[in-house]
Amino acid sequence: MRFGARLSKAISEHGPLCVGIDPHPGLLASWGLSQDAAGLERFALTCVEAFGGRVAVVKPQSAFFEAHGSRGVAVLERVIADLRDSGTLVLVDAKRGDIGSTMAAYAAAYLTEGSPLAGDAVTVSPYLGFGSLDPALEAAAASGRGLFVLALTSNPEGASVQRAVGPGGRSVAQSVVDAAARANAGAEPFGDVGLVVGATLDELDVDLSDLRGPILAPGFGAQGATVADLRALFGSDLRGVLPTSSRDVLRHGPEAASLRSAVDAIRASLEM
């Protein structure tokens, strides 16, 4: 089953929610854990226990694991394996982007069957040109995995690039949307190429009507975005939108039961 179909099934079973595993130092401290690979592992495996089999997608943030060196990457590999064993879709938030053989190597790491870093999808950056993602698109197609491509992010610095207008009169972000739509042409219910669009944006300024792919919407919850904000940006039908909540859930740790309760409350709010 291709990624888009697996994602549609997961949303129908668990609702449209992506929960992040972001083990940054402040959260490790608030959980009473050591600032080392052992504390990282305790944090991450508690999240796996809490979220596995309960949400549509779990999104480990690769940078916080990489910060602990090879032992941290080993923890990430275990998180990916354990979540997939639980039947939960894993989106590795690595935001990789490069050209040629380097992009092909990233694709092999995150999108190739048998790689310990390969979840079900990975975030990628198109800002070396959407065509630079071809090795990732090809690897995803071959292994039945997915991509979430940065399109419109909510950080203030992003606008100078993403909202810039190209020679054809389209914004850079719209050109990314259009390229993703071409990759998803004819797919039902979702294609395998999703977009990252910040939930805290004041306005959308892009046409998503032909996308046929999922939208990852970070910024929901602790960063300020509400269900009303999601509907204002994306319309009343949010079946293809995956709001992402990390800190709003993780602040309820370190008990797995408390994390589960937080997930249940957020999921209920999305059904309003």
Side-chain angles (χ1 to χ4, degrees):
M1 189 182 295
R2 302 199 58 79
F3 173 72
R6 297 202 309 277
L7 178 60
S8 178
K9 182 174 184 290
I11 290 173
S12 69
E13 291 176 354
H14 301 294
L17 179 63
C18 173
V19 178
I21 300 180
D22 292 8
H24 62 72
L27 276 170
L28 291 179
S30 71
W31 283 30
L33 297 173
S34 55
Q35 301 286 331
D36 55 18
L40 172 76
E41 183 173 41
R42 178 72 177 273
F43 182 100
L45 295 185
T46 300
C47 291
V48 170
E49 178 187 352
F51 307 145
R54 299 182 69 87
V55 296
V57 181
V58 174
K59 181 177 69 65
Q61 169 51 261
S62 179
F64 292 117
F65 294 86
E66 294 171 35
H68 293 271
S70 60
R71 291 186 64 193
V73 173
V75 174
L76 176 59
E77 292 174 354
R78 181 172 176 187
V79 166
I80 293 169
D82 288 358
L83 284 169
R84 296 196 78 197
D85 286 346
S86 76
T88 302
L89 295 180
V90 184
L91 169 57
V92 181
D93 194 357
K95 298 183 178 71
R96 297 303 191 235
D98 216 304
I99 61 172
S101 60
T102 307
M103 191 67 231
Y106 281 140
Y110 293 100
L111 295 163
T112 301
E113 196 65 36
S115 170
L117 287 171
D120 295 278
V122 64
T123 56
V124 293
S125 173
Y127 292 110
L128 287 171
F130 199 92
S132 69
L133 300 180
D134 283 350
L137 290 163
E138 292 163 6
S143 66
R145 288 176 166 82
L147 302 175
F148 281 87
V149 183
L150 299 179
L152 270 178
T153 59
S154 53
N155 61 305
E157 304 86 352
S160 64
V161 174
Q162 297 159 13
R163 297 185 187 274
V165 176
R170 292 182 303 168
S171 69
V172 173
Q174 186 65 58
S175 70
V176 170
V177 172
D178 293 345
R182 288 193 294 272
N184 290 330
E188 291 290 346
F190 300 133
D192 302 326
V193 182
L195 297 176
V196 180
V197 178
T200 57
L201 291 168
D202 292 330
E203 55 184 342
L204 204 53
D205 281 351
V206 291
D207 180 4
L208 299 170
S209 58
D210 293 329
L211 176 61
R212 292 182 178 268
I215 297 168
L216 185 72
F220 182 73
Q223 291 174 265
T226 65
V227 175
D229 293 326
L230 293 173
R231 296 192 189 283
L233 278 178
F234 303 113
S236 59
D237 185 357
L238 298 177
R239 283 177 296 178
V241 177
L242 279 170
T244 299
S245 184
S246 299
R247 281 178 290 169
D248 217 29
V249 173
L250 299 173
R251 65 186 177 86
H252 293 278
E255 300 300 326
S258 298
L259 295 172
R260 291 190 197 103
S261 295
V263 165
D264 291 343
I266 292 171
R267 187 165 47 204
S269 76
L270 291 169
E271 296 173 355
M272 294 173 59

